[in-house]
Amino acid sequence: MEKRIVGHVDMDAFFASVEERDKPYLKGLPVIVGSDPKGGMGRGVVSTANYKARELGIGSALPIRKAWELCENSRKTGGDRCVFITSGSRGYGLASSEVFSIVHKWVPNISRASIDEAYLDLGFCKSFKEAKKLAVELKKEIKNKTKLTCTIGISNSRMVAKIASGYKKPDGLTVILPRNVDKFLRPLPIRSVPGIGEKNEKIFHRLGVKTIDDAQQYSWEELQNAFGKHGFSIWEHVRGIDERKVESSREKRKSIGKHHTFAKDTNDIKKVAKTMGKQIRLILNEVRTQGFKEFRTVVLTVRFDDFTTVTRSLTLPSAISTITQLELKSTKLLLPFFETAGNPANKAIRLIGIRVEKLN
Ligand code: TTP
Ligand code: MG
């Protein structure tokens, strides 16, 4: 049997790095990509920040207003002026295709996990030593050809490879040999385990679990009591057990979507429908540029003024592909939010998102 060797490539500060590469005047400055900060009054969040801006405590998902505040404070004490860039450049998708076609040249079986990351089946390298050599060369070629850096993690499972790629960023390469997996995992915070988000982390904290080592003290029955059906896979993951294969990901590519935070919360169906129309056009554009023809699932996300968030989805018996078809299906999902049954308190809408899945 071929040895299990899995790599995980993740681009460094991806959107910000593409902007820095394409706009030389950004060199050396803190760069924040996200929604428009509107002089500190903007809504929405940071998509990503370059490493210079991260030194100020700015990172993905931080409210853009807060990022603005941190920059202002830093500037007042002699720091550089930050540059805010509104995300949405087509350049990110292009850069991503460029990077992963290079990766694909080196590694026949890769599984794209997001715009800037992929798992690599490195079994064909036969040894971790050879896999590491390949990763060094691959990093070099990506840097030379795209002027972008990435970080690679290598281990014997997808999960540990992913944790390893986040271990030493940017421009890093971390190899965790099978015999060192447990030693590597144990001291890490429980949140490092992919799939342990804010909610599960809270449950762990209530149990007094802070590190992976702490979590290893629990039996799988105990974890099932705490986490329900995910308990067993969590039990496996904290032991570095993850049998998932690297499957090439074209057809199972998760989704293409857009979301928009309104400048002012709204109950105006025309306004919401108009925004949805714009999103639909952008999505269909992206569907085409990514080389897909059609899709079968439409997902609508609505966030209300009180931040409660609802998603509704529709999976169709046969695939659709046109603007009109997507508009019809999205409208069908949207309408209940303007009716008493679907929105009894008549709450105003803060954010709307449309996503298509099951792409072909
Ligand atoms: P990440 O790989 O999570 O982040 P990153 O590449 O910017 O930084 P790192 O060096 O830590 O890997 O996400 C890739 C891109 O996806 C990121 O550049 C912007 C986008 N993104 C968002 O738009 N919103 C988010 O909340 C996150 C996490 C990412
Ligand atoms: Mg990244």
Side-chain angles (χ1 to χ4, degrees):
M1 205 180 76
E2 214 169 55
K3 208 176 196 152
R4 228 164 114 69
I5 307 177
V6 181
H8 181 258
V9 183
D10 190 306
M11 302 304 294
D12 301 322
F14 185 51
F15 291 4
S17 304
V18 173
E19 298 291 354
E20 279 182 80
R21 177 193 68 176
D22 298 344
K23 302 185 171 86
Y25 64 88
L26 295 175
K27 200 171 165 48
L29 295 175
V31 176
I32 295 122
V33 180
S35 43
D36 185 347
K38 299 197 172 147
M41 305 300 285
R43 294 158 54 108
V45 292
V46 173
S47 297
T48 193
N50 69 356
Y51 280 77
K52 189 93 200 244
R54 289 184 201 193
E55 287 169 16
L56 305 174
I58 300 170
S60 301
L62 186 76
I64 199 80
R65 205 182 287 214
K66 187 82 199 145
W68 180 270
E69 213 176 282
L70 290 168
C71 287
E72 284 297 295
N73 290 344
S74 140
R75 199 168 54 83
K76 280 182 202 144
T77 53
D80 284 317
R81 183 181 284 276
C82 299
V83 184
F84 285 82
I85 296 176
T86 311
S87 47
S89 154
R90 286 163 49 87
Y92 311 147
L94 287 176
S96 169
S97 318
E98 243 184 300
V99 167
F100 292 104
S101 59
I102 296 172
V103 176
H104 203 207
K105 235 177 47 191
W106 288 79
V107 184
N109 187 14
I110 76 171
S111 169
R112 297 279 300 273
S114 79
I115 190 160
D116 88 325
E117 58 179 323
Y119 292 93
L120 321 181
D121 182 350
L122 298 174
F124 72 94
C125 292
K126 304 274 195 267
S127 71
F128 281 88
K129 196 167 158 213
E130 286 304 312
K132 184 175 180 179
K133 274 194 204 157
L134 178 142
V136 169
E137 294 306 315
L138 173 58
K139 272 166 63 74
K140 262 193 222 156
E141 184 170 342
I142 292 175
K143 203 189 236 168
N144 284 340
K145 295 235 168 92
T146 69
K147 310 288 174 233
L148 296 168
T149 61
C150 65
T151 297
I152 300 184
I154 297 176
S155 192
N156 57 350
S157 70
R158 288 174 40 139
M159 188 201 79
V160 182
K162 181 168 167 89
I163 300 179
S165 79
Y167 190 67
K168 207 174 83 199
K169 262 181 162 290
D171 205 8
L173 171 58
T174 302
V175 181
I176 307 296
L177 297 174
R179 64 168 181 277
N180 295 330
V181 165
D182 195 51
K183 196 164 70 191
F184 171 68
L185 290 179
R186 277 202 320 256
L188 299 177
I190 190 66
R191 184 70 182 263
S192 332
V193 177
I196 303 288
E198 209 176 319
K199 198 172 125 214
N200 288 343
E201 186 186 33
K202 278 213 183 97
I203 300 178
F204 265 128
H205 282 180
R206 276 204 292 276
L207 296 172
V209 169
K210 293 264 187 302
T211 62
I212 292 182
D213 186 23
D214 297 338
Q216 285 186 1
Q217 309 312 314
Y218 284 79
S219 68
W220 63 265
E221 289 95 337
E222 287 168 324
L223 292 182
Q224 259 176 346
N225 281 336
F227 297 96
K229 63 178 191 308
H230 301 299
F232 187 73
S233 63
I234 294 177
W235 182 88
E236 286 189 317
H237 286 172
V238 300
R239 283 163 180 74
I241 303 169
D242 172 14
E243 307 285 352
R244 286 172 303 161
K245 285 213 285 285
V246 176
E247 285 172 317
S248 90
S249 46
R250 243 192 81 76
E251 40 320 298
K252 69 176 174 61
R253 212 205 97 134
K254 285 181 288 227
S255 59
I256 295 178
K258 296 278 166 224
H259 56 78
H260 176 79
T261 307
F262 292 102
K264 205 163 153 275
D265 302 329
T266 180
N267 272 317
D268 181 348
I269 189 166
K270 279 201 193 125
K271 194 166 161 191
V272 177
K274 194 168 158 209
T275 300
M276 206 171 76
K278 280 191 203 154
Q279 293 175 320
I280 285 173
R281 282 171 178 75
L282 291 171
I283 290 168
L284 287 182
N285 247 333
E286 209 170 300
V287 167
R288 308 269 140 74
T289 52
Q290 305 250 359
F292 293 102
K293 286 202 303 286
E294 48 185 28
F295 44 88
R296 236 161 38 85
T297 298
V298 182
V299 186
L300 170 76
T301 303
V302 171
R303 181 170 301 147
F304 292 108
D305 50 6
D306 61 357
F307 277 85
T308 50
T309 307
V310 186
T311 46
R312 293 274 177 270
S313 72
L314 197 61
T315 295
L316 304 158
S318 57
I320 58 171
S321 61
T322 68
I323 290 185
T324 317
Q325 287 169 322
L326 180 53
E327 264 173 357
L328 272 172
K329 299 304 170 196
S330 312
T331 309
K332 184 171 170 181
L333 292 169
L334 179 69
L335 282 179
F337 293 104
F338 291 90
E339 288 162 2
T340 321
N343 183 6
N346 195 27
K347 289 191 268 189
I349 292 177
R350 176 184 170 86
L351 168 148
I352 175 174
I354 290 282
R355 193 165 84 225
V356 299
E357 298 177 349
K358 298 208 194 305
L359 292 139
N360 276 305

